Amino acid sequence: MAATMSSTTNSSISSHSSSFVFTDFPRKFNLPTSRFSFLLLNDTSGGVSRSFQFSNRCCRTTTRRRRLFVKNVASDQLQKLQHPPSNSTDGIALDAFQPDSASVVSSIKYHAEFTPLFSPEQFDLPKAYYATAESVCDMLIINWNATYDYYEKMNVKQAYYLSMEFLQGRALLNAIGNLGLTGPYAEALKKLGYNLEDIVRQEPDAALGNGGLGRLASCFLDSMATLNYPAWGYGLRYKYGLFKQLITKEGQEEVAENWLEMGNPWEIVRNDVSYPVKFYGEVIEGPDGRKEWVGGEDIVAVAYDVPIPGYKTKTTLNLRLWSTKVAAENFDLCAFNAGEHAKAYEALKKAEEICYVLYPGDESFEGKTLRLKQQYTLCSASLQDIIARFERRSEDFVNWDKFPEKVAVQMNDTHPTLCIPELIRILMDVKVLNWNDAWEITRRTVAYTNHTVLPEALEKWSFELLQELLPRHVEIIKMIDEELVHTIIAEYGTEDLHLLEEKLKEMRILDNIDLPPTILESLVKLQESLIEDPIEDESSDTVNEQTEDEEEEAGSLNDDEDPETETKVTFEPDPKQPKMIRMANLCVVGGHAVNGVAEIHSEIVKKDVFNEFYKLWPEKFQNKTNGVTPRRWIGFCNPELSRIITKWTGTEDWLMNTEKLVGLRKFADNDELQSEWREAKRSNKIKIVSFLKEKTGYVVSPDAMFDVQVKRIHEYKRQLLNIMGIVYRYKKMKEMSPVERKAKFTPRVCIFGGKAFATYIQAKRIVKFITDVGATVNHDPDIGDLLKVVFVPDYNVSVAEVLIPGSELSQHISTAGMEASGTSNMKFSMNGCILIGTLDGANVEIRQEVGEKNFFLFGARADEIADLRKERAEGKFVPDPRFEEVKAFVRSGVFGPYNYEELMGSLEGNEGYGRADYFLIGKDFPSYIECQEKVDEAYQDHKRWTKMSILNTAGSFKFSSDRTIHQYARDIWMIEPVVLP
């Protein structure tokens, strides 16, 4: 069902005049007329309700009126619209809109003509992509509006997922796949002279995320929609993303992302949905005792909505992104006319820059301020929106006690922590609730997902900065901290003040800041009373007399000790240390649930990161092992493998119920399946060969093993271990004759990808090192195709969708205990890629499911790390000679003139910042290269390797994000699926 246009060629769209007719559907359901082409019916049968003429403003720039004649494609479908079945929603028969390829062609033509994003002369690939995307949005909006209306009507409890990142990737293929329209769209585009694959490649990745945190959030949205859970996502609409990565002779260089330059067909700006956000100012108290935050800097957050379709379901959820601006009156017209242009748009610039860049560098005070502004904008605008929706659904009477029964807020890591004091502020200062009610409502509403054990990622913010930027929130945080201090004192008592001081220092939200005056005063008085009136030993009358020797020995031990300093506890902050606010502690205290994202990570969270809180509130702590959506990460990105899985499991249901993948295990030795499996893998490898040549210029052999490590560049992820292993391999090859090296080594293509944060110097050194090794190895005629090293620039979701299906070995080699979970390990395993890795994050559970024989394990375990670092600090570590050999080889200059002394030096010494091999590369290096020898051996046995690959896919059933979302919904959000009728 779509609009029909006059004839079209690949080069142009015809400009013949015609008349335009349509049903009442767009007006009735408040859809923009540019979004309803599937409802415009194009067959000669069936009636029409009215005619409409577009003026020349709706078409091309021309002096004559342009009209398009549209009729019905099938009168029975019109009858469905006019006489909907009993199971329809508000008169909409959602199952009526299933277009065939002819309808899709007409829809694409319509948008090429009437959605004026491009000039009309050409119908080239970019224009064809946008017209195609707009036509898909028509379908999404029908379900999108129906989903929203139904949730409003039923007043369901909703989960709201707050995240600084949503790494969506391309939307087109995912959307038509979820709608079940891949076939019609592929056929329609072929009729228009294009391949679907070529059209898909025109879409830029949405620059809204960086790594696993953002990709996880996007997988979760997909699963929530697919499983019909009522939920929304909230994030920020970054104009320039993180950055676009260029690889030059100097290593990594950063330029701004341009993903919005040509517009974004997947978003709809909601100019009617905006909220004020305030910074700075002061807090005043009214005569009634109520606090008011006044003055300061005011901006406006405007909503941009992105539809998130579920797979084979009517449910289409919403990702609401905030963009920032100021009101027109904030533009200083007088200053502008006086030539003071910078002053004139200063307020505008300050507002807009909040949503310029994801994770702006925070080395400077200005950078820290901007990051905090981003975080608060996300929290404030989202909570105002959530509260407005709650009040609207409550109609005449708002019962705030019911708020946690209708709203669940999930904080994705510590970035949205400010939603805790912000919710309290709104409830107290705007809705006039008292402290106890506001605090209780907040604690019942908010939950926290921890994603890291790295101290630098457990955010701490300067007290002074927060005090200046958000003065009212600091007051509220102080109140929360005071509640916590009372709880700690009640738990541990005041008998042992040393113990109490230790617990307060470790657990308080306010770090190195005075205790509340009333509490401090009582503790000081208690301390003074203990010093003045020490407790006497009841058995003092029967104490045995000490010998002279004993007295002398005791005296000598205590000569240097002041008996008063032994017992005195001051509870005073250290003036030499900064005053900080610990956001992770605030998350734990202010929410009702805390979860880790893999079994080993959740245990570390309980036993180490938040041990004191776990002992205080064990019921809060949970595990929710991450998962990834099988639709995008097998179904859509690896159609060859998907067809094989469907054939051998006998159903397509595995895309929804991944437990069906287990059925592959019984066929793992089957020769026919193995042959098909290898053929699919080779087909995907050939795609990688073409991709690498296009992106890097390097030509690699599809007959080599494809060995891949793609993820954010960080020292704990140990790309440095990988490349040093490659250097060792290269050195050994160079020492052998051609016959020896060919017999000894399996050919490999070692592929890297990932971004180093712009100010993370050591990570950027690692990128430079990898590219220098590649430049040397890849041009060495002695080595040829036996070894290639390729760094893929600007790694993102779309690159992952090319690399993962064709990968054969994937490296997940982080220092044990430092990777919370990982999700790329799940994606690789799903696609039949064997992993080499440490017992870290989700590797532990993946190995359990795929089988120990089908996972290459090496390295120290998490419970050994602390002792190994202690051993290093004591100078007891003895490096393996092979490790020393590699460092010397690098220092010899074989990889070019760049000075790698700083990089190699970080692996040496026993202590000091940036030294002493904190991430234990030297310790794990011997077991790593020995494990790689086992990889070579296994790869030579094609049947064994293929069986391992099949068993990895079969064992990945547990790692679907559908499974994870079910657990969140049941254990944390307490929401039920809501299926549209």
Side-chain angles (χ1 to χ4, degrees):
M1 298 176 292
T4 297
M5 295 185 57
S6 49
S7 60
T8 304
T9 67
N10 286 348
S11 61
S12 67
I13 301 293
S14 175
S15 60
H16 295 155
S17 299
S18 52
S19 63
F20 187 95
V21 287
F22 66 122
T23 71
D24 280 334
F25 189 94
R27 182 174 59 81
K28 178 178 179 181
F29 295 102
N30 196 30
L31 295 179
T33 54
S34 64
R35 294 282 195 182
F36 66 96
S37 56
F38 280 113
L39 307 178
L40 305 178
L41 311 171
N42 66 355
D43 189 65
T44 54
S45 61
V48 295
S49 60
R50 69 171 69 187
S51 64
F52 182 83
Q53 290 186 334
F54 279 102
S55 72
N56 58 4
R57 288 177 298 174
C58 299
C59 307
R60 301 183 208 164
T61 304
T62 176
T63 56
R64 68 179 178 182
R65 288 186 182 276
R66 303 183 37 73
R67 298 184 299 170
L68 178 66
F69 184 71
V70 185
K71 289 188 177 179
N72 203 353
V73 70
S75 59
D76 61 328
Q77 291 185 331
L78 179 60
Q79 291 296 315
K80 287 183 180 181
L81 289 176
Q82 295 174 339
H83 305 287
S86 58
N87 68 340
S88 67
T89 303
D90 290 337
I92 308 171
L94 296 176
D95 58 350
F97 310 116
Q98 288 297 322
D100 57 16
S101 62
S103 308
V104 172
V105 167
S106 295
S107 173
I108 294 172
K109 288 179 178 180
Y110 168 80
H111 282 292
E113 183 81 357
F114 292 111
T115 305
L117 292 171
F118 293 83
S119 58
E121 290 79 12
Q122 299 293 324
F123 187 61
D124 53 10
L125 273 170
K127 185 171 184 176
Y129 157 67
Y130 272 86
T132 302
E134 291 284 351
S135 74
V136 176
C137 281
D138 294 342
M139 286 294 289
L140 295 182
I141 285 177
I142 298 167
N143 288 351
W144 197 16
N145 286 346
T147 302
Y148 178 82
D149 290 344
Y150 192 68
Y151 289 170
E152 290 284 300
K153 177 182 176 181
M154 300 303 294
N155 191 18
V156 297
K157 180 175 183 179
Q158 279 192 232
Y160 298 97
Y161 199 80
L162 272 63
S163 179
M164 288 295 286
E165 296 186 45
F166 287 92
L167 197 60
Q168 293 177 284
R170 291 168 174 160
L172 178 57
L173 195 62
N174 189 70
I176 62 176
N178 279 357
L179 290 169
L181 296 175
T182 305
Y185 268 89
E187 187 177 344
L189 288 166
K190 188 171 292 185
K191 291 178 181 178
L192 291 170
Y194 289 115
N195 292 320
L196 176 59
E197 294 80 5
D198 294 331
I199 296 296
V200 167
R201 282 196 288 269
Q202 296 302 304
E203 180 179 358
D205 276 38
L208 299 171
N210 175 37
L213 182 82
R215 184 53 235 169
L216 176 76
S218 293
C219 281
F220 277 7
L221 290 181
D222 176 272
S223 287
M224 287 187 280
T226 298
L227 300 173
N228 300 299
Y229 282 113
W232 276 26
Y234 281 105
L236 296 181
R237 181 179 179 267
Y238 303 106
K239 185 175 182 178
Y240 301 116
L242 184 74
F243 57 80
K244 180 178 288 186
Q245 182 192 52
L246 305 179
I247 299 299
T248 69
K249 290 182 179 180
E250 304 304 317
Q252 171 181 297
E253 293 185 11
E254 306 88 23
V255 296
E257 281 274 7
N258 61 350
W259 74 288
L260 287 173
E261 281 191 359
M262 303 299 287
N264 179 10
W266 304 104
E267 68 181 18
I268 294 180
V269 59
R270 305 294 193 190
N271 287 311
D272 59 327
V273 181
S274 62
Y275 297 97
V277 179
K278 181 184 290 294
F279 307 107
Y280 304 107
E282 61 178 342
V283 180
I284 61 174
E285 186 172 342
D288 58 355
R290 189 160 66 91
K291 298 291 184 72
E292 186 179 2
W293 184 16
V294 298
E297 179 182 301
D298 296 303
I299 66 165
V300 176
V302 181
Y304 284 72
D305 286 350
V306 180
I308 307 296
Y311 178 69
K312 293 187 176 181
T313 177
K314 300 168 187 176
T315 300
T316 300
L317 301 182
N318 191 32
L319 169 59
R320 177 156 285 179
L321 304 171
W322 301 107
S323 186
T324 46
K325 66 177 187 178
V326 292
E329 55 265 27
N330 288 94
F331 180 77
D332 191 340
L333 188 59
C334 292
F336 189 85
N337 288 332
E340 299 178 42
H341 300 157
K343 179 182 176 183
Y345 55 73
E346 182 180 4
L348 177 65
K349 179 183 176 183
K350 284 184 177 179
E352 289 184 344
E353 70 182 10
I354 291 172
C355 291
Y356 274 174
V357 175
L358 168 64
Y359 301 141
D362 60 355
E363 300 297 316
S364 66
F365 177 81
E366 291 77 11
K368 290 180 173 65
T369 302
L370 185 55
R371 279 215 193 186
L372 269 175
K373 282 186 172 182
Q374 287 184 332
Q375 294 184 4
Y376 179 61
T377 299
L378 169 64
C379 296
S380 181
S382 301
L383 282 170
Q384 290 181 72
D385 196 43
I386 292 165
I387 288 170
R389 192 170 300 109
F390 172 75
E391 290 180 313
R392 184 170 61 250
R393 293 181 184 180
S394 299
E395 297 181 345
D396 296 331
F397 176 71
V398 179
N399 183 353
W400 289 104
D401 288 338
K402 298 290 185 183
F403 188 78
E405 298 175 18
K406 293 297 181 181
V407 171
V409 174
Q410 189 71 35
M411 300 181 296
N412 192 28
D413 217 354
T414 54
H415 308 125
T417 305
L418 288 169
C419 72
I420 294 172
E422 174 67 0
L423 180 53
I424 294 173
R425 182 192 71 83
I426 295 173
L427 293 175
M428 290 181 65
D429 300 354
V430 182
K431 307 304 176 183
V432 203
L433 273 65
N434 62 46
W435 160 257
N436 289 332
D437 290 342
W439 175 229
E440 182 62 23
I441 290 167
T442 300
R443 291 173 68 190
R444 291 168 55 203
T445 301
V446 175
Y448 163 52
T449 298
N450 174 272
H451 283 280
T452 184
V453 301
L454 296 177
E456 63 268 25
L458 294 172
E459 287 185 302
K460 291 183 180 182
W461 287 104
S462 162
F463 177 84
E464 287 82 5
L465 174 57
L466 262 172
Q467 177 75 56
E468 181 184 8
L469 190 69
L470 303 169
R472 179 58 177 142
H473 296 76
V474 170
E475 289 186 352
I476 293 169
I477 291 170
K478 285 181 177 180
M479 296 169 74
I480 298 172
D481 184 68
E482 185 170 352
E483 290 276 350
L484 174 61
V485 169
H486 282 297
T487 301
I488 295 169
I489 292 174
E491 177 71 16
Y492 292 99
T494 56
E495 289 81 10
D496 186 341
L497 291 183
H498 284 288
L499 175 65
L500 180 60
E501 182 186 39
E502 177 186 321
K503 300 302 179 185
L504 289 171
K505 284 183 177 179
E506 185 170 350
M507 299 176 68
R508 284 186 66 195
I509 298 164
L510 302 178
D511 182 23
N512 200 43
I513 295 173
D514 284 317
L515 285 165
T518 55
I519 296 175
L520 181 60
E521 183 179 353
S522 64
L523 290 176
V524 170
K525 288 181 179 178
L526 179 61
Q527 170 71 20
E528 291 172 349
S529 67
L530 290 175
I531 294 173
E532 293 173 1
D533 302 307
I535 300 174
E536 294 185 359
D537 190 341
E538 293 180 358
S539 61
S540 58
D541 293 337
T542 59
V543 173
N544 293 327
E545 293 184 1
Q546 289 180 314
T547 65
E548 288 187 14
D549 290 342
E550 289 172 335
E551 290 176 352
E552 185 177 345
E553 181 180 355
S556 64
L557 289 173
N558 294 318
D559 281 344
D560 298 327
E561 296 180 6
D562 182 347
E564 184 170 315
T565 59
E566 276 187 22
T567 57
K568 187 174 182 180
V569 181
T570 63
F571 296 101
E572 293 178 356
D574 184 348
K576 297 180 181 178
Q577 298 299 318
K579 297 180 178 181
M580 307 296 288
I581 295 180
R582 296 188 276 208
M583 308 305 270
N585 289 22
L586 178 55
C587 286
V588 176
V589 175
H592 66 89
V594 180
N595 71 276
V597 290
E599 287 179 0
I600 185 174
H601 171 239
S602 295
E603 288 304 306
I604 292 171
V605 164
K606 290 189 291 187
K607 293 179 180 179
D608 185 13
V609 182
F610 298 123
N611 180 249
E612 295 300 332
F613 291 107
Y614 173 66
K615 289 188 287 187
L616 190 61
W617 298 304
E619 71 282 355
K620 279 192 181 188
F621 289 80
Q622 304 181 17
N623 174 61
K624 297 288 174 282
T625 298
N626 284 341
V628 300
T629 167
R631 271 79 61 184
R632 180 181 285 269
W633 292 111
I634 308 182
F636 305 148
C637 77
N638 197 345
E640 292 91 345
L641 186 63
S642 298
R643 285 190 288 269
I644 295 170
I645 294 171
T646 298
K647 171 184 174 181
W648 287 87
T649 60
T651 179
E652 288 185 347
D653 191 43
W654 60 270
L655 282 168
M656 282 285 293
N657 300 295
T658 51
E659 290 81 3
K660 300 288 179 70
L661 292 173
V662 177
L664 292 171
R665 287 175 175 166
K666 60 186 177 183
F667 303 114
D669 287 308
N670 184 283
D671 289 340
E672 183 182 352
L673 172 59
Q674 287 211 354
S675 176
E676 293 176 6
W677 201 271
R678 284 192 291 269
E679 186 177 342
K681 182 64 73 172
R682 182 172 178 82
S683 174
N684 287 318
K685 288 174 70 176
I686 290 172
K687 292 177 183 177
I688 293 177
V689 171
S690 176
F691 175 80
L692 293 181
K693 183 177 180 181
E694 176 189 350
K695 294 295 182 182
T696 71
Y698 288 129
V699 177
V700 301
S701 169
D703 296 322
M705 177 202 299
F706 281 19
D707 172 355
V708 180
Q709 187 180 19
V710 284
K711 53 185 70 212
R712 181 166 52 96
I713 308 296
H714 197 290
E715 288 173 276
Y716 90 83
K717 293 179 183 288
R718 299 205 294 191
Q719 287 90 351
L720 185 55
L721 174 60
N722 185 351
I723 191 62
M724 291 191 75
I726 292 169
V727 169
Y728 177 78
R729 189 182 188 91
Y730 174 64
K731 184 175 186 295
K732 293 303 161 187
M733 285 182 175
K734 292 291 288 181
E735 293 170 354
M736 295 179 180
S737 68
V739 175
E740 290 173 327
R741 70 173 69 106
K742 189 173 182 179
K744 172 72 174 175
F745 292 104
T746 298
R748 285 207 199 193
V749 177
C750 301
I751 302 170
F752 292 83
K755 295 179 179 179
F757 191 64
T759 58
Y760 190 174
I761 302 302
Q762 189 76 333
K764 295 177 79 169
R765 287 187 183 121
I766 293 170
V767 173
K768 170 66 173 166
F769 184 34
I770 294 168
T771 58
D772 280 354
V773 172
T776 299
V777 171
N778 298 344
H779 295 96
D780 190 330
D782 293 339
I783 303 303
D785 286 337
L786 271 181
L787 182 62
K788 298 290 184 185
V789 180
V790 183
F791 192 101
V792 180
D794 206 37
Y795 178 68
N796 57 23
V797 174
S798 296
V799 174
E801 289 171 338
V802 176
L803 296 181
I804 289 173
S807 299
E808 294 171 290
L809 180 73
S810 181
Q811 308 223 15
H812 302 272
I813 57 178
S814 52
T815 309
M818 302 197 75
E819 182 74 87
S821 174
T823 52
S824 63
N825 46 8
M826 301 170 186
K827 297 162 196 164
F828 280 101
S829 188
M830 276 185 175
N831 283 271
C833 183
I834 294 94
L835 308 187
I836 180 172
T838 53
L839 281 180
D840 197 24
N843 283 0
V844 178
E845 293 158 81
I846 291 174
R847 183 169 176 262
Q848 290 170 354
E849 297 300 332
V850 306
E852 294 180 7
K853 294 181 179 179
N854 305 305
F855 184 106
F856 293 104
L857 177 67
F858 76 95
R861 298 171 185 256
D863 57 4
E864 300 172 333
I865 301 300
D867 287 340
L868 289 171
R869 286 181 178 144
K870 181 181 178 183
E871 178 185 278
R872 181 72 180 240
E874 293 171 352
K876 297 178 181 178
F877 171 68
V878 179
D880 188 274
R882 292 167 290 186
F883 187 59
E884 296 300 288
E885 182 182 347
V886 170
K887 288 190 296 178
F889 189 54
V890 173
R891 282 173 163 140
S892 72
V894 67
F895 300 114
Y898 185 85
N899 185 353
Y900 283 107
E901 188 56 42
E902 289 292 336
L903 190 60
M904 294 299 103
S906 70
L907 305 173
E908 298 172 337
N910 295 321
E911 57 185 356
Y913 179 76
R915 298 186 70 84
D917 194 12
Y918 183 78
F919 300 98
L920 304 181
I921 291 173
K923 174 64 181 178
D924 283 350
F925 185 79
S927 61
Y928 177 69
I929 60 174
E930 289 159 11
C931 192
Q932 288 285 13
E933 292 172 358
K934 295 177 183 177
V935 171
D936 281 348
E937 179 184 350
Y939 192 76
Q940 297 297 328
D941 185 340
H942 298 312
K943 188 172 179 63
R944 176 191 171 190
W945 188 271
T946 306
K947 180 179 180 179
M948 293 171 69
S949 176
I950 294 169
L951 291 175
N952 263 268
T953 298
S956 65
F957 71 94
K958 181 179 175 181
F959 304 105
S960 165
S961 52
D962 295 353
R963 181 188 183 107
T964 312
I965 286 299
H966 274 313
Q967 293 173 349
Y968 273 97
R970 180 193 65 214
D971 302 334
I972 298 178
W973 304 333
M974 289 166 281
I975 61 174
E976 298 291 334
V978 177
V979 181
L980 274 66

